[in-house]
Amino acid sequence: MTSPPNGSAAPPGRGTVPSRPSVPPQTRGAAPAVPAHAPAAAPARRTAWAEGVDRLKSAATTEPGRLRIIGAVIALLVVAFGATTAWQMTDRSAAADDVLHSSQPLSADAADIYRSLADANTAASSGFLAGGQEPAAVRDRYEKDIRTAAEKLVTAAASTDPGSPSAKTIAELNKLLPQYKGLIERARANNRQGFPLGGAYLRYANEKMQTQMLPAAEDLYTKENQRLRGDYDAATPYPWIAIALGVVALGALAWAQRRNYRRTNRVFNHGLLAATAASTVVLLWLVVGHTVARSGLNASYDHGVRSLNVLHDASIASLKARGSENLTLVSRGAETVELKNGDIKDKYDVDFQQQMKTLGDKLGAAHALADDGAGQAPVTKANGAMKAWLGRHKDARKADDSGNYQGALDKIIGSKQDKPTGECFDQVDQSLDTALAHEQRQFSAEAGDGRDAMTGLPVGAAVLAVLAAAGAVLGIGRRLSEYR
């Protein structure tokens, strides 16, 4: 088969392969060309925060934008000032109300529980010394003390959180009280029949009172006093956060008005001026009101609570001293203690001397704390009765030590002609009750004044802060209207 002539193409047919179109050498291996109509890649989407920052920057470059930012910041500061003031003063007002109506009355109830138990123990020993037929007045006094202790325990239990240490102490006292009463009744029953076993039961009841019940009552009293101190600590600190926010808000308002004056030559902007006035009223009310409240509460503690605590301690010491004095004759030397110098003394007489020393110290402290004649007079009277009591007790001990038991008994629980120590004890007890009533009234008056100084402040601060924020917004809005 002959080849086609040079320059002529062979006809297509079997055994022939069509040739590929030629590609320019410079385009071989290159990426395919992108069509001219293909869309461009979308830019990455920005976050809302970034867009907001851009808008804020853009707004800050114009006077209307800057005014809007200034108005928003001032309104936020004023509202934050009002809200913080309302929050802090609500807490302090609630704590002051707890001082007046909750923790201090509970502290007083705890002290009354202690005194009632100690007085019941004293009355029981006095009735025992009187013989099988104890005087009706002594019996009534004992029963009244037991009822008072039981009622105060119920009140304290209702005001105490379940499972708290105070609740456990109250439960323990509620368990011990009927046990003590049972021992006293056994002592009385044996005493009526002339059995010496009655004295043993009375000493056992006294031991339960002195080693279990009174320490538990003292623990309850201590816990309630700590709770009272905590309420004072919550009510009296200055609200520094609110005060600082108030100063910042007033500073921002003053700056905004100065800026407005320099740019417009207008002395007053009514809205900003109203906001400044409202904020100033809140700040002054906050500082002055809390200062007055703090002063009243501190005075109620210094001249009320501290005096009450010392007088309660004095009353308890006198009751313990009287109980020990009675038991000195009940035991008739059956229980003794060895002193550091080796001397052997009657246990109950040693207790009596210790309690009388405590009584003298507490009366001196109470006299120093009393800030007026009405508070000092009953303490002075109690101090005089205590000194007379010590002198008569010394005579009673001389009679007992010389073997004149009946003479000693007459000098302890005898009639007025015998000048008994019981007469001095009653004078001390009555004088301390008078002093306690006076200090309680003084506490209530001063604590009430302190609490009342904060009345209305939380609500008033919130309302005035809202009005101040509205005034600031309206004042800025008035300026913005000039650009429309």
Side-chain angles (χ1 to χ4, degrees):
M1 180 181 239
T2 60
S3 300
N6 191 20
S8 60
R14 185 179 295 175
T16 64
V17 179
S19 61
R20 295 180 180 177
S22 60
V23 179
Q26 64 272 21
T27 62
R28 291 176 185 172
V34 179
H37 60 275
R45 185 174 180 180
R46 304 185 66 207
T47 63
W49 172 259
E51 293 178 357
V53 170
D54 286 346
R55 292 194 191 98
L56 190 62
K57 290 179 179 179
S58 177
T61 60
T62 64
E63 181 60 14
R66 285 191 288 267
L67 287 173
R68 290 188 181 94
I69 294 172
I70 292 171
V73 170
I74 290 177
L76 182 63
L77 280 173
V78 171
V79 169
F81 169 45
T84 305
T85 299
W87 159 54
Q88 291 196 297
M89 295 312 298
T90 296
D91 286 348
R92 283 157 177 75
S93 181
D97 194 69
D98 286 342
V99 165
L100 185 61
H101 293 126
S102 178
S103 52
Q104 197 281 329
L106 283 174
S107 176
D109 285 346
D112 287 342
I113 291 170
Y114 198 125
R115 293 178 63 213
S116 296
L117 292 175
D119 194 54
N121 197 50
T122 299
S125 60
S126 297
F128 189 93
L129 284 176
Q133 297 299 324
E134 60 184 315
V138 175
R139 175 76 181 188
D140 291 342
R141 181 169 181 168
Y142 167 81
E143 294 294 345
K144 180 183 177 182
D145 287 332
I146 293 296
R147 283 196 307 272
T148 299
E151 290 170 359
K152 296 292 184 180
L153 283 171
V154 172
T155 302
S159 304
T160 304
D161 296 331
S164 65
S166 293
K168 294 178 182 178
T169 302
I170 293 170
E172 180 68 15
L173 284 170
N174 278 323
K175 182 179 72 174
L176 291 171
L177 189 58
Q179 295 177 9
Y180 172 81
K181 288 181 63 179
L183 291 171
I184 293 297
E185 292 307 320
R186 290 183 183 182
R188 282 174 172 159
N190 282 276
N191 191 40
R192 288 192 191 101
Q193 300 176 64
F195 296 156
L197 191 59
Y201 273 119
L202 184 65
R203 292 195 298 274
Y204 185 34
N206 177 72
E207 182 180 0
K208 183 176 284 293
M209 177 65 73
Q210 299 292 341
T211 61
Q212 298 181 54
M213 298 178 71
L214 290 182
E218 184 177 10
D219 181 62
L220 179 63
Y221 178 51
T222 300
K223 287 185 173 66
E224 294 303 331
N225 267 343
Q226 291 172 348
R227 178 178 174 182
L228 174 61
R229 182 67 259 183
D231 285 337
Y232 269 105
D233 291 341
T236 54
Y238 274 106
W240 291 115
I241 298 176
I243 292 173
L245 281 172
V247 172
V248 171
L250 283 176
L253 284 164
W255 173 82
Q257 291 175 89
R258 182 173 181 273
R259 181 181 183 275
N260 181 62
Y261 170 72
R262 295 184 65 182
R263 288 178 176 269
T264 65
N265 207 30
R266 293 173 182 168
V267 178
F268 296 120
N269 178 294
H270 296 113
L272 292 177
L273 188 63
T276 303
S279 298
T280 302
V281 169
V282 174
L283 185 59
L284 289 176
W285 191 3
L286 172 63
V287 174
V288 175
H290 189 270
T291 299
V292 173
R294 178 187 174 95
S295 177
L297 289 170
N298 285 337
S300 73
Y301 187 84
D302 293 336
H303 305 306
V305 173
R306 289 178 61 195
S307 294
L308 286 169
N309 289 343
V310 171
L311 289 169
H312 281 308
D313 292 342
S315 180
I316 290 166
S318 72
L319 291 168
K320 285 184 174 181
R322 180 60 176 172
S324 295
E325 184 179 49
N326 291 340
L327 287 167
T328 301
L329 294 181
V330 172
S331 66
R332 299 193 181 190
E335 296 190 36
T336 58
V337 291
E338 184 177 354
L339 304 181
K340 292 182 179 179
N341 60 5
D343 291 345
I344 304 298
K345 294 288 186 179
D346 185 280
K347 174 182 181 297
Y348 297 110
D349 192 52
V350 171
D351 290 341
F352 170 82
Q353 298 296 339
Q354 291 176 345
Q355 295 301 328
M356 291 299 281
K357 182 178 183 304
T358 300
L359 174 59
D361 293 341
K362 296 299 181 181
L363 287 176
H367 191 274
L369 288 171
D371 57 348
D372 57 11
Q376 291 175 347
V379 176
T380 302
K381 186 176 180 180
N383 193 55
M386 178 201 69
K387 292 177 180 178
W389 185 0
L390 283 170
R392 295 183 186 186
H393 176 81
K394 188 175 181 180
D395 294 339
R397 293 311 308 147
K398 282 182 181 179
D400 191 31
D401 292 340
S402 65
N404 184 7
Y405 177 80
Q406 186 59 46
L409 185 62
D410 290 340
K411 292 182 180 300
I412 298 295
I413 62 169
S415 61
K416 261 191 173 183
Q417 291 75 13
D418 299 317
K419 295 184 178 180
T421 60
E423 185 178 18
C424 299
F425 162 72
D426 288 339
Q427 289 177 0
V428 170
D429 194 52
Q430 292 167 7
S431 298
L432 289 175
D433 283 345
T434 302
L436 282 165
H438 170 75
E439 297 299 336
Q440 183 66 44
R441 288 192 299 270
Q442 192 168 24
F443 161 81
S444 298
E446 291 173 341
D449 291 342
R451 183 206 56 181
D452 292 344
M454 292 186 277
T455 301
L457 182 51
V459 176
V463 172
L464 287 173
V466 171
L467 293 176
V473 171
L474 290 174
I476 296 296
R478 181 68 180 270
R479 286 282 293 118
L480 284 171
S481 65
E482 298 172 1
Y483 290 89
R484 293 171 186 167

